[in-house]
Amino acid sequence: MRIARHSTRLAASATVLAAALSLTACENGTKDTGSQTPAASSAAADGRAKDGHSSKAAPGAPGGGPHGTNGSGPAPGKASGSHSATPACTTARVKVTAIKVNRPVNHMLLTATNTGSLPCHAYHAPYLRWDDAQAATAFLEASKPQAVLTLAPGQSAYAGIMYRSADGSGNGGYTARTLGVLFANRAGNGSTGPSVRFTLPKGGITTDSSAWVTYWQTSAQDALTW
């Protein structure tokens, strides 16, 4: 479904609701070290953060670094190389946070920050799974950038989520309690790397068939334009 672009860009500094998301452990998957990712246990083990949550511990990593760059060329300050030499971003090397915003209504914002030592490509859009949904949330094709986003160490990419249309045009609505996030592979025909799962605010979030997620963007403002 294609959504008309707003005539005025929204401010990037959207007010975060007090009820933020809390993170449980990663779901099944293996990290770069080859070790098994711990199975999800209980949200209470990590507690509830006030301002969003990270997908992995990253001591010393910036909470919100510079924006990612469009294009398949080398990241600033990096030697040139082939497009295929730069790996896809995964949650093994990227910290993911999620917040619910006041504007636009019924929207959330994902932020992915490269906490590794090498650049990575944020391909396409994130795959989202509400609870144990069979299918991933639809990609908003109108938001597709002209080139792949490359995240140098410390840089971030952003994706906007509309979980329910404000005009009530969706159907099959239900209240989700968790949200799973995966990165797309280069081909765009599946995911890559381990997943992360967030526990949604108390009471959950009502989503339906109208839900979509944008492609990765270079700024929060761009991600929340639709």
Side-chain angles (χ1 to χ4, degrees):
M1 177 177 66
R2 299 180 71 87
I3 307 298
R5 195 182 186 94
H6 291 285
S7 59
T8 304
R9 287 190 177 279
L10 298 170
S13 56
T15 304
V16 178
L17 293 183
L21 310 177
S22 69
L23 170 69
T24 63
C26 295
E27 292 184 310
N28 291 339
T30 56
K31 296 189 178 181
D32 290 346
T33 59
S35 60
Q36 186 71 19
T37 303
S41 53
S42 170
D46 294 322
R48 290 184 176 272
K50 295 182 180 179
D51 300 313
H53 321 273
S54 82
S55 63
K56 64 189 284 289
H67 307 320
T69 57
N70 279 313
S72 58
K78 297 294 180 181
S80 61
S82 68
H83 181 77
S84 59
T86 301
C89 294
T90 72
T91 56
R93 59 174 60 87
V94 175
K95 180 180 68 175
V96 179
T97 62
I99 57 174
K100 188 178 177 183
V101 297
N102 282 328
R103 292 290 183 273
V105 296
N106 298 343
H107 275 62
M108 295 172 64
L109 176 69
L110 286 182
T111 302
T113 303
N114 184 353
T115 58
S117 58
L118 297 172
C120 65
H121 291 314
Y123 289 112
H124 309 291
Y127 285 103
L128 306 181
R129 292 289 175 90
W130 304 93
D131 289 343
D132 297 321
Q134 293 290 321
T137 300
F139 292 177
L140 181 63
E141 291 301 321
S143 68
K144 188 173 183 178
Q146 294 183 343
V148 174
L149 263 64
T150 301
L151 300 184
Q155 289 186 324
S156 298
Y158 307 84
I161 303 169
M162 186 192 75
Y163 49 86
R164 182 179 52 167
S165 177
D167 63 11
S169 59
N171 54 59
Y174 66 97
T175 300
R177 307 295 177 179
T178 64
L179 174 64
V181 180
L182 282 155
F183 281 89
N185 61 22
R186 180 180 179 182
N189 58 4
S191 62
T192 183
S195 67
V196 291
R197 183 162 292 275
F198 296 98
T199 298
L200 298 172
K202 185 177 181 180
I205 285 179
T206 300
T207 184
D208 60 26
S209 63
S210 64
W212 47 250
V213 59
T214 69
Y215 282 71
W216 290 113
Q217 307 292 320
T218 57
S219 72
Q221 179 178 344
D222 288 344
L224 294 175
T225 295
W226 288 272

